[in-house]
Amino acid sequence: TKAPLGVAAVNSTKVYLDKIEPFTLEYSGLKNGDKYPKMTSPFTITCDATYKSDVGTYPITVSGGESNNYFLSSYTAGTLEITKAQQTIDWTQNLQDIQTDGKVELLAKASSGLDISYSLSDNEIAEIVSANGKQYVKGLKNGTATITASQEGNNNYMAAERVSNTVTINVPSGIDGTSASDLRVTAGNYQITVVGAKPSSNIYIFNAAGNLIELKKVTEEKAIIPVTNHGLYIVKINGVTFKVTI
């Protein structure tokens, strides 16, 4: 007569997005030195997971099967465990010569395709700004800062190792000619007055030697910048240059 045979699905693991290897079975009740039962009809092994299923645990079930020497007395399910995948950040961008008020798109990429976050070591030297789904570094004043790119992972990816880059902000010389503009810049009584600049714009004041002596962020329609000496001053606003004399 046929001997009873128990069959169990062997537990398995894989990393997110890796292919699923064939599942294996183990048996209890084999006779006469059999290493596996000779089947006239194969077992059916099923699992709902695919290679792109989210991280988690999925049952592996076994059913069916016929043998001339054994009758199937029990079926035991196993599990497929899908674990988080690693990811890396690629960032080789040169950020060594950004002028004040200039901005450069940040181009770090995560191998997972997830969004990158950026942080600065000095928010007075530069700032991170977002526009139209992109991120930029914007120069504020002369100096060097470290930008760190990070991706903290999600349900399917582990956090990436952070990557740092150095940004250098250079203040342009004020001695480079003047430009026409709808802005109005006047000087007198030891002060320079700017009318019509957009809010949050930066106003740069240079002396006659081209050295930056004052940086003011516009907060209202009329900006007044005190100066201490008579002479020639160069005023730069959003790339537009004026020369005034006090």
Side-chain angles (χ1 to χ4, degrees), residues 44-243:
T44 299
I45 305 173
T46 59
C47 181
D48 290 338
T50 68
Y51 81 96
K52 60 182 180 180
S53 292
D54 291 336
V55 165
T57 301
Y58 299 82
I60 306 168
T61 60
V62 56
S63 61
E66 294 184 4
S67 171
N68 290 330
N69 297 323
Y70 299 94
F71 69 89
L72 281 302
S73 59
S74 65
Y75 298 95
T76 303
T79 58
L80 169 64
E81 182 182 6
I82 300 178
T83 60
K84 290 186 177 184
Q86 293 183 336
Q87 60 170 330
T88 58
I89 294 174
D90 180 28
W91 194 22
T92 57
Q93 189 174 6
N94 186 344
L95 300 173
Q96 293 302 301
D97 190 16
I98 299 175
Q99 293 195 350
T100 48
D101 252 2
K103 67 178 183 180
V104 174
E105 183 182 356
L106 297 172
L107 301 175
K109 301 291 184 183
S111 60
S112 63
L114 297 173
D115 291 340
I116 296 289
S117 296
Y118 298 94
S119 60
L120 273 163
S121 63
D122 190 335
N123 291 309
E124 294 186 356
I125 299 294
E127 63 180 346
I128 305 298
V129 295
S130 298
N132 300 319
K134 297 180 180 180
Q135 296 189 79
Y136 301 83
V137 58
K138 180 180 179 181
L140 297 179
K141 70 177 185 179
N142 191 47
T144 299
T146 298
I147 305 180
T148 301
S150 61
Q151 211 314 302
E152 298 305 319
N154 63 7
N155 182 62
N156 294 321
Y157 286 96
M158 294 185 284
E161 183 176 352
R162 296 181 178 184
V163 176
S164 294
N165 204 337
T166 300
V167 58
T168 301
I169 310 300
N170 291 319
V171 177
S173 170
I175 307 298
D176 56 3
T178 59
S179 305
S181 171
D182 292 334
L183 295 168
R184 186 160 59 91
V185 179
T186 58
N189 296 323
Y190 291 98
Q191 65 184 28
I192 296 170
T193 303
V194 177
V195 178
K198 294 180 179 180
S200 79
S201 297
N202 287 328
I203 300 174
Y204 300 89
I205 309 294
F206 301 85
N207 61 19
N211 298 318
L212 181 69
I213 61 171
E214 183 71 31
L215 169 58
K216 180 179 179 64
K217 186 175 288 290
V218 176
T219 58
E220 53 189 352
E221 175 70 13
K222 183 178 181 180
I224 298 176
I225 303 99
V227 294
T228 57
N229 298 310
H230 289 289
L232 174 70
Y233 291 90
I234 296 92
V235 182
K236 297 195 75 168
I237 312 164
N238 296 332
V240 180
T241 305
F242 300 83
K243 289 182 180 179

